[in-house]
């Protein structure tokens, strides 16, 4: 079955496929990250368990720290840069983890917003 918010996500993925830099990865909740590569041609930081090195560690990192807290911006920016992550996907899945507020980050710029899905580019 399609994830909740599939039509909004589909529009965002169409935008990403046509507008996002090919070499940059995307960080997102695993629910969305599992379909981003197939629909956009972009890599993800953590996706399918059997296709992601250190899957458990990376999944916990995004769920328990990256999207859960709105602190440690130096650490989060360093993670993005060290892993060639150019985009942060922010939808109902990422919001559900905690209080991360990408719009407040000076290292991120909103490049897409529609139907509850936001995409931020790492500056």
């Amino acid at each position: 079955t399609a994830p909740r918010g599939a039509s909004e996500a589909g529009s965002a993925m169409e935008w990403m496929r046509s507008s996002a830099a090919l070499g940059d990865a995307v960080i997102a909740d695993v629910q969305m990250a599992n379909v981003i590569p197939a629909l956009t041609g972009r890599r993800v930081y953590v996706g399918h368990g059997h296709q992601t090195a250190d899957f458990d560690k990376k999944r916990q990192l995004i769920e328990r720290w990256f999207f859960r807290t709105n602190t440690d911006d130096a650490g989060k920016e360093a993670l993005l840069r060290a892993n060639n992550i150019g985009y942060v996907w922010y939808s109902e899945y990422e919001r559900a983890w905690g209080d991360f507020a990408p719009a407040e980050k000076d290292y991120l710029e909103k490049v897409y917003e529609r139907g509850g899905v936001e995409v931020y580019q790492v500056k």
Side-chain angles (χ1 to χ4, degrees):
T1 64
R4 293 178 315 235
S7 63
E8 293 85 359
S11 296
M13 288 191 200
E14 287 176 21
W15 174 87
M16 185 165 280
R17 183 177 54 245
S18 65
S19 302
L22 278 172
D24 291 342
V26 181
I27 193 168
D29 177 78
V30 175
Q31 284 286 100
M32 295 312 304
N34 281 337
V35 296
I36 287 173
L39 298 177
T40 70
R42 301 324 184 262
R43 295 176 300 108
V44 291
Y45 176 68
V46 59
H48 289 287
H50 64 285
Q51 295 178 327
T52 301
D54 298 320
F55 173 78
D56 290 328
K57 177 183 171 190
K58 289 179 178 179
R59 182 177 177 179
Q60 289 179 15
L61 191 71
I62 66 165
E63 293 173 359
R64 296 183 183 169
W65 173 65
F66 193 88
F67 290 116
R68 179 152 331 253
T69 68
N70 199 36
T71 58
D72 193 11
D73 289 325
K76 290 178 182 182
E77 183 176 5
L79 172 82
L80 297 171
R81 296 196 188 287
N83 291 280
N84 199 33
I85 299 168
Y87 298 91
V88 176
W89 181 277
Y90 198 65
S91 67
E92 64 182 302
Y93 291 99
E94 294 76 21
R95 283 182 193 88
W97 286 113
D99 58 3
F100 180 65
E104 298 175 0
K105 309 306 175 193
D106 62 2
Y107 54 91
L108 298 176
E109 177 181 1
K110 188 186 300 182
V111 292
Y112 178 90
E113 179 177 18
R114 182 173 173 202
V117 177
E118 299 170 4
V119 177
Y120 292 83
Q121 186 170 15
V122 179
K123 292 182 184 178

